[in-house]
Amino acid sequence: MIKGWPFNQHLHEYALQFYFSIFQDNNSTIYRAVRICVWFDEHSHNLLHLDWPAKSPDLNPIENLWDMLEQRAKRRNQHPRNLMELRDQILSEWLKLDARYLQNLVDSLPNRIQAVIKSRGGVTRY
């Protein structure tokens, strides 16, 4: 268990209760902190982490989610003065998410895959 990390306390229960038991991310090594890898190893018995092509944003709906969270944070009247305030603002916006938005992102995966196939790995509308 990764001690002192709030993510560890809540993500697993949230994931299994509300949305997924399969996790997909962009798999780029520059974003893979050791603590993330450890967390996935600890929960591998009931949370599948997909092997996914690295740096494939057209296939990764999380990019849309991050963009939306960033836009919401930028619309706030008070800009964060440090990383803790930024984290708090992003978390606040995350907690306001409508589950339908997340479901729509998941549901878009077949269309994303088809678009990437059709473009032969080139640019898509996603």
Side-chain angles (χ1 to χ4, degrees):
M1 176 179 271
I2 303 166
K3 294 185 171 138
W5 196 35
F7 172 81
N8 188 50
Q9 298 169 359
H10 304 289
L11 179 64
H12 189 245
E13 292 80 14
Y14 180 81
L16 294 176
Q17 183 178 2
F18 295 105
Y19 292 105
F20 53 85
S21 58
I22 300 173
F23 187 84
Q24 177 266 322
D25 64 10
N26 73 2
N27 246 357
S28 181
T29 54
I30 63 171
Y31 299 120
R32 299 310 304 264
V34 171
R35 66 168 93 183
I36 299 288
C37 296
V38 168
W39 187 88
F40 280 116
D41 288 344
E42 290 174 352
H43 295 89
S44 64
H45 60 282
N46 62 357
L47 183 65
L48 176 63
H49 187 219
L50 294 177
D51 288 327
W52 201 262
K55 301 175 187 167
S56 55
D58 290 346
L59 295 175
N60 191 348
I62 198 71
E63 298 298 333
N64 300 89
L65 176 60
W66 276 120
D67 183 59
M68 190 269 305
L69 289 172
E70 178 183 10
Q71 295 306 315
R72 285 185 177 187
K74 284 181 178 178
R75 285 195 297 259
R76 289 172 165 250
N77 291 331
Q78 185 167 358
H79 297 287
R81 293 173 294 194
N82 55 49
L83 286 175
M84 291 298 281
E85 286 184 10
L86 176 60
R87 185 203 65 175
D88 291 345
Q89 285 185 8
I90 295 294
L91 180 59
S92 174
E93 294 302 331
W94 170 262
L95 294 173
K96 295 177 193 175
L97 281 176
D98 184 339
R100 290 174 295 194
Y101 177 79
L102 299 174
Q103 187 61 52
N104 288 340
L105 289 176
V106 171
D107 292 344
S108 74
L109 280 171
N111 292 336
R112 290 169 185 272
I113 292 167
Q114 286 302 315
V116 169
I117 291 169
K118 185 176 179 180
S119 72
R120 297 178 185 235
V123 177
T124 72
R125 71 181 184 93
Y126 295 99

